[in-house]
Coordinates of all heavy atoms in Angstrom, one line a residue:
W10 N 146.1 88.3 117.0 CA 145.6 87.1 117.8 C 144.3 87.3 118.5 O 143.5 86.4 118.6 CB 146.8 86.5 118.6 CG 147.0 87.3 119.9 CD1 147.9 88.3 120.0 CD2 146.2 87.1 121.1 NE1 147.9 88.8 121.3 CE2 146.9 88.1 122.0 CE3 145.3 86.3 121.7 CZ2 146.5 88.2 123.3 CZ3 144.9 86.5 122.9 CH2 145.5 87.4 123.8
A14 N 140.8 85.5 117.7 CA 140.2 84.8 118.8 C 138.8 85.2 118.9 O 137.8 84.4 119.2 CB 140.9 84.9 120.1
T18 N 135.6 82.7 118.3 CA 134.7 82.6 119.5 C 133.3 82.9 119.0 O 132.4 82.1 119.3 CB 135.1 83.4 120.7 OG1 136.5 83.0 121.0 CG2 134.3 83.2 121.8
G21 N 132.2 80.1 116.7 CA 131.9 78.9 117.5 C 130.7 79.0 118.3 O 130.0 78.0 118.4
W35 N 118.7 64.5 118.4 CA 119.2 63.2 118.0 C 119.2 62.2 119.1 O 118.8 61.1 118.9 CB 120.6 63.4 117.4 CG 121.3 62.2 116.9 CD1 120.8 61.2 116.2 CD2 122.6 61.7 117.1 NE1 121.6 60.2 115.9 CE2 122.8 60.5 116.5 CE3 123.6 62.3 117.8 CZ2 124.0 59.8 116.5 CZ3 124.9 61.7 117.9 CH2 125.0 60.4 117.3
T39 N 117.2 58.6 119.2 CA 117.9 57.3 119.5 C 117.4 56.7 120.7 O 117.4 55.4 120.9 CB 119.4 57.5 119.5 OG1 119.8 58.3 120.6 CG2 119.9 57.9 118.2
G48 N 106.9 71.9 124.8 CA 105.7 71.4 125.2 C 104.6 71.9 124.3 O 103.4 71.6 124.4
P53 N 109.5 65.8 114.4 CA 109.6 64.5 113.9 C 110.9 63.9 114.3 O 111.9 64.6 114.4 CB 109.5 64.8 112.4 CG 109.9 66.2 112.1 CD 109.4 66.9 113.4
A64 N 124.0 55.8 123.4 CA 125.1 56.3 124.2 C 126.0 57.3 123.5 O 126.4 58.3 124.0 CB 125.9 55.1 124.6
F72 N 129.0 66.5 125.5 CA 130.3 67.1 125.1 C 130.1 68.5 124.5 O 130.7 69.4 124.9 CB 131.1 66.2 124.1 CG 132.3 66.8 123.5 CD1 133.5 66.9 124.3 CD2 132.3 67.3 122.2 CE1 134.6 67.5 123.9 CE2 133.5 67.9 121.7 CZ 134.6 68.0 122.5
A87 N 136.9 87.2 128.7 CA 137.6 88.0 127.8 C 136.9 89.5 127.9 O 137.7 90.5 128.0 CB 137.6 87.6 126.4
A88 N 135.6 89.6 127.9 CA 134.9 90.9 128.1 C 135.3 91.5 129.4 O 135.6 92.7 129.4 CB 133.4 90.7 127.9
H96 N 140.8 98.4 130.0 CA 139.9 99.7 130.1 C 139.5 100.1 128.7 O 139.6 101.5 128.4 CB 140.7 100.8 130.9 CG 141.1 100.3 132.2 ND1 140.2 100.1 133.3 CD2 142.3 100.0 132.7 CE1 140.8 99.8 134.3 NE2 142.1 99.7 134.0
R102 N 130.2 98.0 124.7 CA 129.5 97.8 123.4 C 128.6 96.7 123.4 O 127.7 96.6 122.7 CB 130.6 97.7 122.3 CG 131.3 98.9 122.0 CD 132.6 98.7 121.1 NE 132.4 97.6 120.2 CZ 133.0 97.6 119.0 NH1 133.8 98.5 118.7 NH2 132.8 96.6 118.3

Side-chain angles (χ1 to χ4, degrees):
W10 71 268
T18 302
W35 179 45
T39 59
F72 173 76
H96 303 290
R102 290 171 31 153

